[in-house]
């Protein structure tokens, strides 16, 4: 007697995570809100970390997004938040402000949700834009963006200015909260516009590129995330900052006048300030990451096409923001 055993492999569950700075809820670019909706649908993202939530005229952006997507046949979930927000294809079990916004100095929002058997703590960060110290070596003030008399290249001076922001307090609060979530068996993912560069990008190999002007900088907050065990999704798959700089700002948004895009008109201020981080787990496998947005950037007060090896997916239609997005695709094991 012969027995035949048939094994059916469990279907793999993918998870698309999108970091999306929506530039004042799409109000700067003509028809920007509709373009945000277009992009959510086009990317088919499961979890979206939103930056620059404003709730203008006391109208909940969360409700507006969910309603607009529903009208086009797509079900998403979102709860009202301030500054940073979350849009999810899966019901949100709970949402809290891990770092509440105060005096417009950044925020971090957390949503807990469940996908199949996995519980996920998903965080959205939009950190303090002032003391944006990446401008100092480029000859601009980090809070007023006025041109300086001379460039600042002393790493201690840059670090002191950087820590005058509220970004380190926000990241410390996030790490502490994330460790609690990890201890409860949840997967942890963060998407955010950190308004700060990465220590993995300002290295000896890039010190003479992009107007770094010789500076090698251990940027505090990405370094702290690294020490806490977080993985930078983009640098995980593309570790070389020369061949794959991964710039996310400033993006060339064609419908917006150049003067609204060029914060440092006499410098090359391109940088990677939008990220997706995650805590490693046998249940979470990174399989793809890419930049989404226009091929063009702003360099020295000019619109310029990127020529790097970065995987840049350029959507058709209106681009609603001065940032480029980051998309990471995971497999849930």
């Amino acid at each position: 007697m012969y027995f035949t055993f048939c094994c059916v492999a469990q279907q793999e569950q993918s998870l698309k995570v999108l970091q999306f700075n929506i530039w004042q809820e799409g109000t700067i670019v003509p028809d920007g809100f509709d373009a945000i909706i277009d992009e959510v649908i086009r990317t088919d993202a499961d979890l979206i970390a939103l930056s620059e939530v404003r709730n203008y005229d006391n109208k909940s952006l969360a409700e507006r997004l969910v309603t607009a997507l529903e009208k086009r046949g797509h079900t998403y979930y979102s709860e009202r938040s301030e500054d940073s927000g979350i849009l999810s294809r899966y019901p949100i079990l709970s949402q809290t402000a891990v770092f509440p916004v105060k005096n417009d100095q950044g925020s971090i929002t957390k949503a807990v949700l469940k996908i199949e058997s996995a519980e996920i703590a998903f965080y959205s960060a939009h950190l303090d834009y002032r003391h944006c110290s990446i401008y100092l070596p480029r000859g601009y003030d980090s809070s007023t963006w006025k041109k300086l008399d001379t460039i600042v290249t002393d790493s201690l001076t840059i670090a002191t200015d950087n820590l005058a922001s509220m970004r380190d307090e926000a990241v410390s609060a996030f790490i502490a909260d994330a460790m609690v979530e990890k201890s409860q068996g949840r997967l942890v993912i963060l998407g955010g516009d950190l308004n700060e560069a990465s220590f993995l990008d300002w290295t000896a190999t890039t010190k003479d590129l992009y107007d770094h002007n010789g500076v090698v900088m251990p940027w505090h907050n990405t370094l702290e995330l690294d020490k806490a065990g977080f993985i930078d999704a983009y640098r995980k798959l593309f570790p070389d900052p020369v061949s794959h700089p991964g710039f996310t700002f400033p993006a060339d948004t064609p419908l917006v006048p150049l003067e609204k895009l060029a914060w440092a008109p006499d410098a090359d201020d391109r940088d990677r300030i939008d990220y997706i981080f995650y805590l490693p787990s046998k249940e979470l496998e990174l399989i793809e990451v890419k930049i989404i947005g226009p091929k063009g950037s702003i360099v020295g007060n000019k619109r310029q096409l990127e020529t790097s090896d970065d995987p840049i997916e350029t959507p058709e239609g209106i681009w609603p923001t001065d940032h480029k997005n980051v998309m990471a695709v995971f497999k849930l094991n």
Side-chain angles (χ1 to χ4, degrees):
M1 183 177 292
Y2 295 91
F3 294 92
T4 302
F5 294 92
C6 180
C7 297
V8 179
Q10 184 177 2
Q11 185 176 5
E12 294 178 350
Q13 173 74 48
S14 67
L15 182 67
K16 292 183 178 180
V17 179
L18 182 68
Q19 160 57 27
F20 199 160
N21 181 306
I22 55 174
W23 203 10
Q24 312 294 352
E25 297 186 0
T27 60
I28 307 299
V29 179
D31 298 319
F33 179 80
D34 290 338
I36 292 169
I37 300 301
D38 289 342
E39 195 60 14
V40 170
I41 294 171
R42 190 194 67 80
T43 60
D44 194 34
D46 297 302
L47 300 178
I48 304 169
L50 302 169
S51 297
E52 301 198 18
V53 173
R54 298 294 179 247
N55 301 311
Y56 289 125
D57 299 322
N58 202 31
K59 295 180 181 177
S60 168
L61 175 68
E63 291 183 8
R64 293 175 63 214
L65 290 171
V66 169
T67 299
L69 286 161
E70 186 177 25
K71 287 180 178 178
R72 295 179 59 177
H74 298 268
T75 300
Y76 278 84
Y77 302 88
S78 188
E79 295 185 5
R80 185 174 180 132
S81 60
E82 303 292 333
D83 188 48
S84 55
I86 290 170
L87 187 61
S88 170
R89 194 187 294 278
Y90 301 91
I92 294 172
L93 303 181
S94 66
Q95 180 172 299
T96 54
V98 173
F99 190 78
V101 65
K102 183 179 180 180
N103 299 324
D104 199 21
Q105 289 185 285
S107 67
I108 300 179
T109 303
K110 175 183 70 174
V112 174
L113 44 95
K114 189 172 183 179
I115 303 175
E116 302 295 339
S117 60
E119 287 196 357
I120 299 175
F122 181 57
Y123 297 79
S124 174
H126 181 227
L127 301 192
D128 195 353
Y129 70 96
R130 284 165 287 198
H131 296 284
C132 190
S133 308
I134 58 176
Y135 284 92
L136 296 177
R138 291 158 168 148
Y140 285 81
D141 187 274
S142 64
S143 295
T144 67
W145 292 274
K146 293 181 180 178
K147 193 169 183 180
L148 302 173
D149 293 332
T150 183
I151 62 174
V152 178
T153 58
D154 177 65
S155 59
L156 181 58
T157 301
I158 297 169
T160 300
D161 180 81
N162 195 54
L163 289 174
S165 76
M166 294 294 290
R167 291 188 293 274
D168 53 312
E169 287 89 343
V171 167
S172 293
F174 160 69
I175 291 174
D177 192 87
M179 292 304 133
V180 173
E181 295 292 350
K182 179 185 177 182
S183 71
Q184 295 177 352
R186 289 176 175 145
L187 302 176
V188 177
I189 303 174
L190 165 73
D193 168 9
L194 302 192
N195 278 311
E196 186 173 315
S198 172
F199 78 100
L200 296 173
D201 296 353
W202 285 58
T203 66
T205 62
T206 61
K207 67 182 180 65
D208 298 316
L209 301 174
Y210 322 126
D211 282 351
H212 291 190
N213 285 308
V215 175
V216 176
M217 193 66 202
W219 293 104
H220 178 83
N221 287 303
T222 51
L223 189 57
E224 289 301 302
L225 288 166
D226 183 77
K227 289 178 181 177
F230 285 88
I231 295 175
D232 177 339
Y234 197 77
R235 281 287 165 257
K236 174 69 174 177
L237 296 190
F238 303 109
D240 187 347
V242 176
S243 62
H244 294 78
F247 299 133
T248 62
F249 183 85
D252 180 11
T253 308
L255 295 180
V256 175
L258 187 60
E259 58 267 23
K260 288 188 177 181
L261 300 172
W263 287 51
D266 293 331
D268 181 352
D269 62 335
R270 291 175 294 172
D271 235 312
R272 190 171 67 99
I273 60 175
D274 301 84
Y275 307 87
I276 293 172
F277 288 93
Y278 65 99
L279 280 177
S281 169
K282 62 181 180 181
E283 299 176 51
L284 190 65
E285 180 183 351
L286 177 67
I287 57 176
E288 182 185 5
V289 65
K290 56 189 171 183
I291 306 296
I292 298 179
K295 190 77 171 177
S297 296
I298 307 301
V299 183
N301 211 29
K302 294 181 181 179
R303 303 178 192 268
Q304 177 176 304
L305 293 179
E306 293 294 344
T307 59
S308 69
D309 294 333
D310 289 307
I312 302 176
E313 179 179 297
T314 305
E316 297 179 359
I318 294 170
W319 186 248
T321 171
D322 56 347
H323 287 242
K324 299 178 188 182
N325 294 347
V326 183
M327 166 77 86
V329 182
F330 297 91
K331 183 174 70 173
L332 297 177
N333 299 317

